[in-house]
């Protein structure tokens, strides 16, 4: 039974039993506590917690999920995958334990010809929370399970919570027994791979707070409604129904594994370590494909970092399988073909996805080459010193700076006959992970508890009138101070205010929040920010500037019209720039993010190389031609499917409802899904002036522009500068570039000649410095300050020449002021080094006196600092150190 068929049987069954079928949400969640949709329940959290009224009493879905906390287990067990699909059925105050158990058992054990999944009851086991007698008794009454195959387990396995304040409750899990060939007898309590968990039924009935750990918290009471949250792992059902040993061999994953086998020339099933690598490749390629189909792009932070890590683990695994060259073109195409039946977007958007994938692969292959050079140098240095082990710090530097995997480092080092101090490396990694976990815990603690908005949201959605109004009369529904509902707020307080209607735009879709005020009888509020803390609710962060404001009072929201107009110009200009980029670069130049505020726009788009000056000029001209043509700007509200059929572009990773707002500028030329606020005709934008273009990742570029009056002021300022230059240089403006280039070349020539004169002047001091030698034990020491120098290289060159003049036992320390900072260069000859004089140690001694740092090789080293006046003391410190060594 194919994976897609299993999913469809599931959805058909629950639709037949009165459930609304809900499409999968994006892998990119808008939950601030999460990077990704890590579980099937994530999109339903507002309904489960009661923050937002559920639009249906019961639902079912097949939710895409990404989870990387068990990434090291991928390939080693039959069930761990970073991307997985979670089948779920949900009840929001409708049926509870009895209904959930009845539905699960019927679907699992009904014959395939009757639409069921055809599992034999004798292969199924069940666990319940040890204190949940009700669930235990329902399993006995509703099914033919014998008592011995219903096991009671503790809170660590059979009590569900997110680890944050909110909903929680006991759960019951269904397991499939793969048979004695796969492990020991004894049921799920043995925690053996023989028993595969296939379905978890969560009986969500409590609200918890004071969460000390995932299993240590305080239950404050029952939820307003008892809910059902279930999750059945689609990949786990698939590998059981397809008769294979693990999820990596199912129909949606195995094709990638087979391509990896073909590229490597190795055989799957012969070597455990290679098999794990094949499975890692198959899993991570699919996960990367699905993340990119939801708009995630490789980067060094957040979601992009996770994607980059997955892709680089693929490259590492292929390299360990003996493939050093590029493989993504073949691997990603295989995953596309395996997944497109279930997710057509991976095929329709494959040009963009493959562009990111191939660029990331090329970048990391270059990174591996650079890391290999550094590792080769470390190996050579270790052997030259007679060592047999690469330090853990060096291995960690390769990992942390170059992204060089530790197992690849160990493989190369072992081939060279050396080893790696793995304990030291692991210690450094643990310290880094501890810092990261501490940061994550800190961020999690700072997240607001959205349950405070539940009662306010229950009063209905906030009506936004700002598309057509700059002033709206309403009523204050609630006031929050430090996250707590309060009846009133006095002058000077900063609080959150919830209105029934508002004309003020809440930050979203790249557009920043409106500025403005809220006024009412006897009070005035300055609006500092406007946000949507939960779906459908707008919160205004305000400062009470006069009077006292209370709940249920009349309130009028007033938008700052000048700021709003400039923000509208910027947002509409962003759409023009997007369309101009697609006209110039092609349809793969799609939006990857934006920021619009009054007079300014920033637009990120998928592209792998810098734009030429000619291309930037062309984009700017196309955008301004659209302004000149005074194109009509229209908006329509229609279904998501209708908008997509009309060719509207959506921002990847943005969450859209069933009904969307489509913005056209000039008809289909610029057609995007957008909830922002726009001008009515393009001429109102005024002017678009590109001011910057830069890289924001291996496959992303960013353009910045000023808009309207801000663009005019910038161009006027540049005109004034040009006017001043033409007057000062007595050069026509069309010849300024040539004239400035000539002046720059002349200045460079002059600087070079000055440097030559200074170098000759320093060389002229060579006899004097060599004659200043003094004996310190076995050393012949020159420790002198030479005044100022053009560069540290000049000082180093002079020190080396003095060393040659002094002869055997030479230790030369020369101090100088370079670009306003003190520098000390120390050089030694072989005789002096044999007697214990090490240039690196002496440079550190000098640097300590200068208030800085230093070091280097035993023969040549450099120290520096901030205190030029301390140069004499630094040279005395070098001499004193030599006297101590000679004593």
């Amino acid at each position: 039974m194919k994976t897609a068929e299993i999913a469809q049987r599931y959805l058909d069954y629950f639709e037949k039993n009165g459930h609304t079928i809900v499409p999968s949400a994006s892998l990119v969640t808008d939950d601030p506590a999460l990077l990704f949709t890590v579980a099937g329940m994530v999109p339903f959290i507002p309904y489960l917690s009661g923050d937002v009224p559920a639009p249906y009493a019961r639902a079912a879905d097949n939710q895409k999920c990404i989870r990387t906390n068990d990434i090291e287990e991928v390939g080693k067990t039959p069930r761990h995958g970073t991307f997985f699909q979670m089948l779920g059925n949900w009840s929001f105050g409708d049926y509870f334990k009895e209904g959930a158990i009845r539905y699960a058992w019927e679907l699992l054990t009904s014959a395939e010809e009757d639409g069921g999944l055809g599992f034999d009851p004798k292969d199924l086991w069940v666990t319940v929370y040890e204190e949940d007698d009700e669930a235990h008794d329902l399993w006995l009454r509703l099914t033919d399970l014998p008592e011995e195959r219903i096991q009671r387990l503790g809170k660590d396995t059979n009590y569900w919570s997110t680890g944050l304040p909110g909903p929680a409750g006991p759960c019951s899990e269904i397991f499939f027994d793969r048979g004695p060939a796969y492990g020991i007898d004894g049921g799920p309590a043995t925690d053996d791979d023989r028993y595969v968990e296939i379905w978890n039924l969560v009986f969500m009935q409590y609200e918890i707070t004071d969460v000390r750990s995932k299993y240590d918290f305080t239950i404050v009471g029952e939820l307003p409604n008892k809910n059902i949250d279930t999750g059945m792992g689609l990949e786990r059902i698939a590998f059981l129904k397809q008769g294979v040993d693990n999820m990596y061999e199912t129909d949606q994953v195995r094709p990638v594994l087979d391509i990896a086998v073909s590229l490597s020339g190795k055989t799957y099933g012969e070597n455990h370590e290679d098999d794990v690598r094949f499975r890692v490749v198959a899993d991570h390629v699919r996960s990367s494909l699905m993340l990119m189909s939801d708009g995630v792009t490789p980067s060094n932070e957040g979601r992009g970092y996770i994607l980059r890590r997955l892709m680089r683990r693929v490259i590492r695994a292929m390299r360990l399988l003996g493939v050093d060259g590029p493989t993504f073109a073949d691997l990603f195409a295989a995953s596309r073909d395996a997944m497109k039946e279930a997710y057509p977007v991976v095929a329709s958007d494959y040009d963009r996805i493959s562009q990111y994938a191939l660029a990331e692969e090329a970048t990391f292959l270059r990174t591996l080459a650079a890391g290999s050079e550094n590792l080769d140098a470390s190996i050579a240095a270790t052997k030259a010193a007679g060592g047999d082990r690469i330090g853990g710090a060096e291995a960690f530097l390769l990992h942390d700076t170059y992204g060089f995997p530790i197992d690849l480092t160990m493989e190369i080092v072992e081939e060279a006959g050396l080893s790696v101090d793995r304990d030291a490396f692991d210690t450094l990694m643990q310290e880094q992970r501890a810092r990261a976990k501490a940061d994550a815990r800190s961020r999690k603690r700072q997240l607001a508890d959205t349950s405070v908005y539940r009662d306010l949201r229950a009063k209905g959605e906030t009506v936004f009138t700002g598309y057509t109004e700059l002033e709206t009369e309403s009523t204050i529904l609630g006031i929050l101070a430090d996250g707590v509902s309060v009846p009133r707020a006095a002058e000077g307080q900063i609080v959150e205010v919830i209105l029934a209607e508002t004309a003020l735009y809440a930050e979203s879709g790249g557009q920043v929040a409106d500025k403005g005020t809220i006024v009412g009888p006897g009070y005035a509020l300055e609006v500092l920010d406007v946000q949507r803390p939960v779906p459908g609710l707008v919160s205004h962060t305000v400062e009470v500037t006069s009077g006292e404001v209370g709940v249920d009072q009349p309130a009028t929201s007033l938008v700052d019209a000048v700021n709003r107009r400039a923000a509208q110009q910027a947002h509409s200009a962003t759409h023009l720039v997007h369309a101009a980029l697609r006209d110039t670069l092609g349809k793969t130049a799609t939006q990857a993010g934006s920021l619009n505020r009054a007079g300014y726009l920033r637009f990120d788009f998928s592209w792998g190389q810098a734009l030429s000056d000619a291309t930037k000029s062309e984009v700017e001209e196309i955008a301004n031609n659209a302004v000149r043509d005074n194109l009509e700007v229209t908006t329509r509200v229609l279904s998501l499917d209708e908008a997509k059929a009309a060719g509207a572009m959506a921002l990847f990773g943005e969450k859209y409802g069933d009904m969307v707002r489509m913005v056209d500028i000039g008809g289909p030329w610029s057609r995007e899904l957008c909830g922002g606020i726009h001008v009515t005709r393009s001429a109102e934008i005024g002017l678009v002036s590109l001011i910057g273009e830069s890289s924001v990742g291996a496959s992303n570029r960013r353009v910045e522009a000023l808009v309207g009056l801000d663009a005019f002021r910038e161009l006027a300022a540049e005109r004034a500068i040009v006017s001043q230059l033409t007057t000062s240089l007595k050069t026509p403006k069309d010849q300024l570039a040539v004239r400035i280039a000539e002046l720059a070349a002349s200045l460079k020539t002059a600087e070079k000649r000055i440097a030559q004169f200074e170098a000759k002047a320093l060389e002229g001091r060579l006899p004097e410095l060599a004659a200043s030698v003094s004996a310190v034990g076995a050393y012949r020491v020159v420790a002198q300050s030479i005044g100022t120098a053009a560069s540290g290289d000049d000082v180093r060159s002079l020190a080396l020449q003095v060393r040659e003049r002094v002869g055997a036992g030479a230790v030369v320390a020369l101090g100088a002021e370079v670009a306003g900072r003190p520098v000390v260069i120390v050089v030694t000859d072989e005789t002096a080094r044999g007697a214990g004089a090490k240039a690196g140690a002496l440079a550190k001694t000098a640097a300590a006196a200068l208030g800085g740092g230093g070091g280097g090789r035993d023969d040549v080293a450099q120290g520096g600092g901030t205190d030029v006046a301390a140069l004499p003391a630094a040279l005395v410190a070098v001499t004193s150190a030599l006297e101590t060594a000679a004593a």
Side-chain angles (χ1 to χ4, degrees):
M1 191 182 295
K2 284 190 172 184
T3 304
E5 181 188 348
I6 295 169
Q8 194 58 53
R9 281 174 177 255
Y10 183 93
L11 298 176
D12 289 345
Y13 172 82
F14 280 102
E15 185 173 33
K16 183 178 65 176
N17 283 282
H19 291 66
T20 299
I21 304 304
V22 179
S24 174
S26 170
L27 288 169
V28 178
T29 176
D30 53 6
D31 187 324
L34 302 169
L35 286 175
F36 298 115
T37 301
V38 297
M41 57 82 64
V42 170
F44 297 96
I45 288 176
Y47 310 144
L48 294 168
S49 63
D51 290 344
V52 177
Y56 23 66
R58 50 177 70 183
D61 70 334
N62 178 19
Q63 175 60 48
K64 301 178 292 184
C65 302
I66 284 282
R67 192 181 298 169
T68 58
N69 54 329
D70 292 327
I71 195 169
E72 299 298 336
E73 297 302 312
V74 171
K76 299 176 183 176
T77 74
R79 64 186 186 279
H80 280 99
T82 51
F83 172 83
F84 58 96
Q85 298 159 88
M86 188 61 71
L87 300 165
N89 60 285
W90 314 84
S91 167
F92 306 103
D94 190 5
Y95 62 85
F96 198 48
K97 292 182 183 179
E98 181 171 346
I101 291 171
R102 189 188 304 277
Y103 287 138
W105 190 255
E106 182 176 78
L107 176 59
L108 282 174
T109 60
S110 292
E112 292 184 13
E113 55 268 27
D114 296 330
L117 295 176
F119 282 96
D120 190 330
K122 68 178 179 57
D123 295 326
L124 300 178
W125 288 66
V126 164
T127 63
V128 296
Y129 178 48
E130 58 190 356
E131 298 177 11
D132 193 352
D133 295 333
E134 181 186 7
H136 174 272
D137 294 344
L138 283 169
W139 278 111
L140 283 176
R141 178 165 64 85
L142 297 173
T143 74
D144 51 3
L145 276 170
E147 172 80 35
E148 62 270 17
R149 279 199 276 127
I150 304 173
Q151 295 185 323
R152 294 177 183 261
L153 298 179
K155 188 177 284 187
D156 59 334
T157 60
N158 279 71
Y159 203 99
W160 181 91
S161 79
T162 63
L164 294 170
C171 62
S172 181
E173 297 177 331
I174 306 172
F175 289 79
F176 178 83
D177 180 4
R178 303 168 76 197
Y182 291 92
I184 61 174
D185 196 6
T190 63
D191 197 26
D192 192 84
D193 279 344
R194 168 175 169 173
Y195 302 93
V196 179
E197 180 201 332
I198 57 176
W199 206 337
N200 186 13
L201 315 179
V202 177
F203 309 130
M204 198 175 296
Q205 60 193 105
Y206 300 114
E207 183 170 352
I208 61 171
T209 188
D210 190 21
V211 180
R212 298 169 290 278
S213 75
K214 194 166 184 180
Y215 310 110
D216 183 14
F217 43 76
T218 301
I219 297 175
V220 294
E222 293 200 344
L223 291 168
N225 291 309
K226 293 181 179 180
N227 303 320
I228 287 296
D229 157 14
T230 85
M232 182 163 73
L234 179 55
E235 280 75 13
R236 297 187 183 187
I237 297 294
F239 85 72
L240 295 173
K241 293 303 294 181
Q242 292 173 20
V244 294
D245 283 341
N246 53 66
M247 61 165 288
Y248 316 103
E249 297 174 16
T250 60
D251 61 304
Q252 288 186 345
V253 188
R254 180 64 188 248
V256 182
L257 189 152
D258 289 338
I259 291 293
V261 168
S262 175
L263 292 171
S264 69
K266 297 192 175 186
T267 302
Y268 180 62
E270 285 192 353
N271 177 288
H272 174 70
E273 289 187 353
D274 284 348
D275 286 353
V276 170
R277 291 163 185 157
F278 283 130
R279 294 168 190 156
V280 166
V281 170
D283 172 83
H284 288 9
V285 166
R286 184 171 74 143
S287 297
S288 300
L289 175 82
M290 299 307 297
L291 281 170
M292 288 189 286
S293 75
D294 273 354
V296 182
T297 56
S299 69
N300 286 327
E301 59 185 13
R303 300 179 177 96
Y305 173 76
I306 300 298
L307 171 60
R308 173 164 284 167
R309 184 185 181 199
L310 291 170
M311 297 171 80
R312 292 187 169 189
R313 279 172 60 90
V314 172
I315 297 169
R316 176 197 69 179
M318 290 303 296
R319 181 160 179 153
L320 293 174
L321 287 165
V323 184
D324 293 335
T327 61
F328 277 12
D330 295 323
L331 294 172
F332 275 82
S335 190
R336 172 202 62 198
D337 293 342
M339 295 300 295
K340 65 184 180 183
E341 179 183 355
Y343 301 98
V345 67
V346 301
S348 62
D349 199 33
Y350 189 70
D351 287 345
R352 182 187 65 84
I353 293 170
S354 62
Q355 180 183 3
Y356 281 118
L358 297 181
E360 180 65 20
E361 180 181 39
T363 298
F364 189 52
L365 288 175
R366 289 194 296 270
T367 294
L368 285 177
S372 295
E373 290 180 8
N374 282 270
L375 181 55
D376 290 345
S378 294
I379 291 171
T382 301
K383 287 186 171 181
D388 61 358
R389 188 164 68 167
I390 299 292
E394 291 178 78
F396 180 76
L397 181 67
L398 283 167
H399 162 82
D400 201 43
T401 303
Y402 295 100
F404 209 77
I406 181 60
D407 49 1
L408 193 56
T409 297
M410 294 178 67
E411 180 185 19
I412 294 172
V413 167
E414 287 168 4
E415 287 175 355
L418 305 176
S419 63
V420 175
D421 187 347
R422 185 61 191 263
D423 290 342
F425 173 85
D426 288 342
T427 298
L428 291 168
M429 284 296 295
Q430 288 169 5
E431 291 173 356
Q432 186 186 64
R433 290 189 184 112
R435 289 192 297 271
K437 287 180 179 178
D439 289 345
R441 284 194 297 268
S442 175
R443 287 194 297 272
K444 187 176 286 188
R445 283 194 297 269
Q446 294 168 8
L447 294 172
D449 180 2
T450 60
S451 63
V452 71
Y453 301 104
R454 179 187 303 151
D455 293 339
L456 295 168
R457 178 61 180 80
K459 297 178 182 180
E461 288 196 36
T462 307
V463 178
F464 175 62
T465 64
Y467 290 129
T468 56
E469 299 179 8
L470 295 178
E471 178 178 333
T472 294
E473 295 181 358
S474 185
T475 304
I476 293 181
L477 297 181
I479 301 173
L480 303 176
D482 298 323
V484 177
S485 182
V486 296
R488 309 189 70 77
E491 185 172 334
Q493 278 189 275
I494 294 178
V495 295
E496 290 180 72
V497 168
I498 313 297
L499 305 178
E501 300 88 15
T502 182
L504 292 153
Y505 183 80
E507 180 179 358
S508 62
Q511 183 173 333
V512 301
D514 272 335
K515 295 181 179 179
T517 56
I518 298 172
V519 298
Y523 70 86
L525 316 175
E526 180 186 356
V527 176
L528 307 177
D529 194 14
V530 190
Q531 296 289 334
R532 296 181 184 272
V534 296
L537 190 75
V538 175
S539 171
H540 310 77
T541 300
V542 301
E543 180 179 0
V544 184
T545 53
S546 66
E548 185 176 82
V549 60
V551 174
D552 295 330
Q553 281 188 287
T556 301
S557 54
L558 302 168
V559 177
D560 181 329
V562 174
N563 181 78
R564 164 70 74 82
R565 187 178 304 113
Q568 287 175 292
Q569 291 173 313
H571 203 155
S572 296
T574 301
H575 286 220
L576 298 187
V577 169
H578 189 189
L581 283 164
R582 288 169 66 84
D583 276 1
T584 306
L585 303 177
K587 301 307 180 186
T588 59
T590 52
Q591 182 173 355
S594 67
L595 173 69
N596 314 286
R597 63 171 183 260
Y600 170 85
L601 72 85
R602 185 183 75 204
F603 185 80
D604 297 346
F605 61 101
S606 54
W607 198 250
Q609 58 191 27
L611 303 186
S612 67
D613 290 339
T615 299
K616 286 184 283 187
S617 294
E618 184 179 359
V619 169
E620 190 175 57
E621 183 173 350
I622 291 172
N624 281 293
N625 283 343
V627 173
R628 176 204 63 196
D629 293 341
N630 198 23
L631 303 174
E632 184 180 12
V633 180
T634 61
T635 61
R636 286 180 284 165
V637 176
L638 63 171
S639 73
L640 181 59
D641 290 340
E642 288 174 321
K644 288 181 177 179
M649 287 182 291
L651 176 60
F652 287 102
E654 192 76 6
K655 187 174 182 179
Y656 297 101
D658 294 335
M659 301 301 291
V660 294
R661 187 168 180 265
M662 186 172 76
V663 177
D664 287 1
I665 303 180
W669 179 68
S670 171
R671 176 168 288 168
E672 301 189 33
L673 300 185
C674 181
I677 304 175
H678 292 272
V679 299
T680 56
R681 299 194 73 91
S682 62
E684 297 172 33
I685 294 170
L687 182 65
V688 181
S689 175
L690 295 187
I691 59 171
E693 190 268 345
S694 59
S695 170
V696 284
S699 302
N700 275 347
R701 306 296 299 181
R702 170 175 292 169
V703 292
E704 297 174 90
L706 296 176
V707 181
L709 277 177
D710 289 80
F712 171 77
R713 294 187 186 107
E714 176 74 7
L715 293 175
E718 290 181 359
R719 182 177 62 188
I721 293 170
V722 170
S723 178
Q724 292 172 11
L725 288 173
T726 57
T727 301
S728 299
L729 300 178
K730 297 180 174 59
T731 303
K733 65 180 181 180
D734 60 345
Q735 297 178 25
L736 271 180
V738 173
R739 178 62 178 144
I740 291 173
E742 291 173 349
L743 290 173
S746 297
L747 179 61
K748 189 174 182 179
T749 300
E751 289 174 342
K752 186 176 180 180
R753 293 184 65 186
I754 291 170
Q756 290 171 344
F757 287 136
E758 290 178 341
K760 286 184 179 180
L762 286 178
E763 289 178 10
R765 298 193 60 184
L766 183 58
E768 168 199 342
L769 291 170
S772 69
V773 65
S774 60
V776 177
Y779 309 124
R780 293 174 58 77
V781 180
V782 174
Q784 296 287 331
S785 177
I786 61 173
T788 60
S791 69
D793 289 341
D794 290 342
V795 182
R796 184 180 293 104
S797 176
L798 181 60
L800 291 170
Q801 294 179 66
V802 172
R803 182 181 69 180
E804 297 306 313
R805 292 266 186 125
V806 169
V811 179
V812 180
L814 299 184
E817 180 182 345
V818 178
R821 298 178 70 87
V823 171
V824 173
I825 302 294
V826 182
V827 298
T828 60
D829 72 356
E830 187 174 353
T831 301
R833 291 193 295 277
K838 309 295 185 183
L842 294 171
K844 287 182 180 179
T845 299
L850 297 172
R857 303 195 309 266
D858 290 346
D859 58 338
V860 181
Q862 177 175 325
T866 57
D867 188 0
V868 174
L871 273 171
L875 296 169
V876 168
V878 171
T879 302
S880 298
L882 291 169
E883 289 172 347
T884 300

